Amino acid sequence: MLYVMVDESKTTVHELASSSSKRITKDGSIIQQEYSHLSSKNGFRPGMMSLRSMKMAWTLNEFVALDQQFEFKIKRQTEPSICTKATINKSVIEDFQGYMLHYDYRKIRFGFLYGSINNDNSVKIEVIYEPPQDTNDVTFTLLDDPNANNVEILTGLLNLKKVGWIIAHPTREKGFNFSNAEILATAEHQLEAAGGVNDTTFVTVKVTMNDQGEMISEAYQVSKQCMEMVAEGAIQTSPNLGMCSVNPTFTALVEGKPTTEIDNDFFLVPLPITTFESEVFVSLFPKTNRDNIIPSSKDLQKQLSKVGKEGWNLQALISDFHLLLYLSNFFSISEDIPILCQSVLDKSIPINEGYSLILNSLAGMD
């Protein structure tokens, strides 16, 4: 029996026999072409197979129908799909703005908005939760969150649902509202909330400071066309932060002309935004996941020490989302926290004396 050793790096045993699968480089070498190079040259569109590879015979109507699937005529959406406006708890947005002001808005920071949807499809925002994140003045990354499960349970117990996200960014030149990464992230959030390219009330609130030093709060959505393009992978980030790059597989037409980049403002749909004084929640306790801030028993003591002063009672002071999140580290999230949440939502249900004693003990006030 005869055995042969084959050095595959010096053979074409796994290469296509056709000479069309090879190309000559500038130095005269003959190399195997990669699929991306072949598809860009012979494919129906860059990144796709050739028409013959898909189907042997095509009618004109079939070809036009296929081509149109990859073509987007960019147009502004002047009105929101269904969301009418955003209203946000005055104390929570002022707290968020105050934290950003401490850093002179030199970096990006984001959080998730929890609240409810009113009958008129306006969004009522009661709480901001800022997850662990890695950000600078341009980029932002969501990190693993050990509190994610407790946040989900707690918001459910308080009859709150995720209704949007908020993003703060440094001062930008006039006309530069959203970076391409922020556009893509907003579209992804809306797609998740809507379960696809559907109408949604999911809102984006952005806060920043203008060149006069004035703090600005604005609310937006991205258009359904933007949602569709992100879902299809038709747009992506670009070194030009104010523009979204068009995936080479697709064609984008702005005012009838093909373009490789799209101004982010084409995708933005502004919403009215107002504030309100919450009748349920307070926002006094230190916020989880902020830089150099770790909520502690001293913070709990500071909050509980207000009982009996300036009209405060224990029930009102416990009606603080971030305080309840802190307490979920000590109380059972499945047994004790639900009882405390009942007293938050229904002021006629007093806090059990036993819980009051435990709270004082945790705060070092016994």
Side-chain angles (χ1 to χ4, degrees):
M1 184 175 291
L2 180 66
Y3 294 89
V4 179
M5 296 289 291
V6 178
D7 185 351
E8 293 185 4
S9 67
K10 297 181 180 179
T11 69
T12 56
V13 67
H14 291 307
E15 297 177 359
L16 297 175
S18 170
S19 62
S20 64
S21 64
K22 300 181 179 66
R23 65 187 177 94
I24 301 175
T25 64
K26 291 180 179 180
D27 63 4
S29 302
I30 300 175
I31 63 172
Q32 185 75 26
Q33 295 192 71
E34 295 183 357
Y35 174 75
S36 60
H37 185 273
L38 281 168
S39 62
S40 65
K41 181 178 180 182
N42 301 321
F44 163 62
R45 280 173 173 267
M48 298 184 65
M49 297 184 294
S50 65
L51 288 173
R52 176 170 286 190
S53 298
M54 299 183 208
K55 183 179 175 181
M56 290 300 295
W58 292 81
T59 66
L60 178 59
N61 287 339
E62 288 174 335
F63 172 79
V64 171
L66 177 64
D67 193 53
Q68 286 179 342
Q69 293 179 35
F70 299 90
E71 182 178 280
F72 290 91
K73 297 177 181 177
I74 307 303
K75 52 185 180 295
R76 295 182 187 272
Q77 181 178 315
T78 57
E79 296 291 335
S81 299
I82 57 172
C83 187
T84 55
K85 69 175 180 178
T87 59
I88 188 166
N89 184 343
K90 183 179 180 181
S91 62
V92 301
I93 194 168
E94 287 181 348
D95 179 88
F96 187 72
Q97 289 174 317
Y99 178 68
M100 293 307 302
L101 190 60
H102 178 71
Y103 288 95
D104 293 327
Y105 282 85
R106 291 192 301 267
K107 63 178 182 178
I108 289 174
R109 186 158 186 86
F110 64 91
F112 297 121
L113 306 175
Y114 291 89
S116 57
I117 310 299
N118 297 320
N119 292 333
D120 63 352
N121 284 325
S122 62
V123 176
K124 185 178 183 181
I125 301 158
E126 290 275 12
V127 167
I128 300 174
Y129 173 69
E130 302 157 42
Q133 53 197 274
D134 182 20
T135 69
N136 55 35
D137 61 334
V138 175
T139 64
F140 53 95
T141 303
L142 175 65
L143 304 178
D144 290 337
D145 187 0
N147 292 310
N149 186 59
N150 281 6
V151 169
E152 183 177 357
I153 294 173
L154 182 57
T155 52
L157 292 171
L158 294 171
N159 294 334
L160 301 172
K161 63 181 294 186
K162 187 187 289 187
V163 295
W165 78 310
I166 186 169
I167 185 162
H169 63 70
T171 302
R172 293 172 176 167
E173 62 187 64
K174 189 174 182 180
F176 178 17
N177 295 302
F178 276 60
S179 72
N180 45 52
E182 292 160 4
I183 289 287
L184 297 179
T186 298
E188 289 167 358
H189 285 314
Q190 288 183 201
L191 285 165
E192 181 181 3
V197 186
N198 301 305
D199 291 338
T200 177
T201 54
F202 194 94
V203 300
T204 295
V205 175
K206 82 155 191 168
V207 299
T208 189
M209 188 165 56
N210 64 20
D211 52 12
Q212 280 82 45
E214 301 167 328
M215 286 184 287
I216 299 172
S217 302
E218 297 172 336
Y220 294 91
Q221 287 186 312
V222 293
S223 66
K224 289 183 72 174
Q225 183 179 59
C226 180
M227 293 170 66
E228 182 183 1
M229 294 184 77
V230 170
E232 295 291 337
I235 52 176
Q236 52 203 21
T237 57
S238 164
N240 184 351
L241 298 180
M243 310 282 279
C244 284
S245 176
V246 180
N247 185 319
T249 303
F250 296 83
T251 299
L253 302 174
V254 176
E255 297 179 348
K257 297 179 181 179
T259 183
T260 57
E261 289 190 322
I262 305 168
D263 190 315
N264 296 336
D265 280 0
F266 269 108
F267 298 127
L268 291 176
V269 184
L271 290 169
I273 183 170
T274 59
T275 60
F276 68 94
E277 301 279 354
S278 179
E279 298 178 354
V280 179
F281 298 98
V282 297
S283 182
L284 302 172
F285 201 72
K287 308 305 180 284
T288 307
N289 302 319
R290 286 186 174 174
D291 295 342
N292 304 316
I293 296 176
I294 301 177
S296 67
S297 59
K298 289 185 178 180
D299 297 307
L300 179 61
Q301 182 182 98
K302 180 180 179 181
Q303 187 136 332
L304 296 185
S305 66
K306 297 178 184 291
V307 173
K309 302 175 184 177
E310 299 178 356
W312 289 107
N313 59 42
L314 180 60
Q315 199 164 5
L317 292 166
I318 287 296
S319 301
D320 188 316
F321 174 83
H322 289 276
L323 173 57
L324 290 168
L325 183 59
Y326 171 75
L327 292 177
S328 69
N329 296 311
F330 307 97
F331 288 99
S332 168
I333 193 71
S334 60
E335 297 179 8
D336 302 313
I337 297 298
I339 295 174
L340 292 175
C341 288
Q342 287 180 353
S343 295
V344 170
L345 297 177
D346 187 345
K347 303 305 181 186
S348 68
I349 302 176
I351 293 177
N352 183 285
E353 185 177 351
Y355 285 118
S356 179
L357 292 173
I358 297 173
L359 287 169
N360 286 334
S361 177
L362 287 173
M365 299 170 64
D366 51 350

